[in-house]
């Protein structure tokens, strides 16, 4: 019961986990779920990056290539906008901060931060430091170079033996495998 689900969408994100009092239930049937709704999604981050670059956000426009200073400015802007969530439910606080052995399972479509990170890193299991390192390795690359890199990495991920079933409870496994996780 150390799983946190992180759903990344275009305009928001959600973190969810079983409430603390439900951990004794064997399969989580009828269990209460604690959810945190975050205010930033993939489209918001792209718009922030365009502002950091001093450019207007236009649908279909690319921010690439991205420079190191732009990436660092984006991280600062995200940190300022998100800050420390004041209303994070107790079970989520405990699993994310007090229990370092919790598994965070990312859910989203092919443009979600999880799928992009998986393709950039070249494996299905990674941590925040891996994401930052992969992003830094892509500085200065245009869309053509990034597409080639992503295709090579996606092939590595497809060949990976790590499956979502390693971290998801049995009843959640089928749902996760039908989504773009």
């Amino acid at each position: 019961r150390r799983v946190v689900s992180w759903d990344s969408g275009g305009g928001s994100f959600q973190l969810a986990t079983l409430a603390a009092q439900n951990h004794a239930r064997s399969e989580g049937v009828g269990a209460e779920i604690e959810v945190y709704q975050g205010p930033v999604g993939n489209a918001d981050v792209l718009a922030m990056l365009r502002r950091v670059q001093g450019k207007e956000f236009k649908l279909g426009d690319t921010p690439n290539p991205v420079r190191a200073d732009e990436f660092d400015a984006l991280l600062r802007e995200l940190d300022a906008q998100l800050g420390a969530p004041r209303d994070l439910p107790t079970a989520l606080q405990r699993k994310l901060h007090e229990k370092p052995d919790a598994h965070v399972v990312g859910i989203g479509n092919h443009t979600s931060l999880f799928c992009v990170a998986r393709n950039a890193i070249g494996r299905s299991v990674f941590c925040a430091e891996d994401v930052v390192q992969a992003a830094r390795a892509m500085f200065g690359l245009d869309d053509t170079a990034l597409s080639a890199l992503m295709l090579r990495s996606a092939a590595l991920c497809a060949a990976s033996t790590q499956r979502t079933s390693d971290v998801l409870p049995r009843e959640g496994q089928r749902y996760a495998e039908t989504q773009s996780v």
Side-chain angles (χ1 to χ4, degrees):
R1 301 293 181 247
R2 299 178 329 248
V3 174
V4 173
S5 167
W6 184 353
D7 183 357
S8 170
S12 66
F13 68 90
Q14 297 77 40
L15 298 172
T17 194
L18 287 177
Q21 68 270 22
N22 295 308
H23 286 233
R25 297 183 185 186
S26 63
E27 292 296 320
V29 177
E32 190 174 318
I33 297 174
E34 291 189 2
V35 178
Y36 173 76
Q37 173 82 25
V40 177
N42 304 335
D44 302 306
V45 173
L46 178 58
M48 279 183 212
L49 177 57
R50 296 305 281 165
R51 279 194 306 274
V52 162
Q53 293 174 324
K55 297 179 181 172
E56 185 179 326
F57 173 71
K58 295 180 201 166
L59 193 59
D61 197 13
T62 179
N64 300 315
V66 176
R67 297 187 325 255
D69 62 312
E70 294 168 338
F71 180 74
D72 291 336
L74 174 65
L75 292 181
R76 285 191 301 274
E77 187 169 327
L78 277 168
D79 190 46
Q81 182 166 344
L82 292 174
R86 295 169 199 53
D87 55 346
L88 193 64
T90 304
L92 281 167
Q93 286 180 31
R94 193 168 17 261
K95 288 182 183 175
L96 294 173
H97 300 291
E98 299 169 16
K99 302 268 186 189
D101 60 342
H103 296 282
V104 178
V105 179
I107 300 171
N109 68 19
H110 69 284
T111 63
S112 79
L113 68 100
F114 308 110
C115 289
V116 171
R118 178 197 63 204
N119 291 346
I121 294 165
R123 59 183 191 276
S124 299
V125 178
F126 49 84
C127 65
E129 292 80 19
D130 296 328
V131 175
V132 172
Q133 182 178 1
R136 291 192 184 286
M138 293 185 273
F139 292 154
L141 298 180
D142 63 14
D143 288 345
T144 303
L146 284 169
S147 291
L149 175 67
M150 290 297 185
L151 285 174
R152 282 192 307 272
S153 295
L156 289 173
C157 284
S160 171
T161 57
Q162 178 67 33
R163 307 261 316 152
T164 54
S165 60
D166 293 338
V167 292
L168 287 177
R170 193 153 188 56
E171 67 272 11
Q173 184 175 346
R174 194 172 307 112
Y175 170 79
E177 289 178 349
T178 61
Q179 302 299 309
S180 297
V181 175

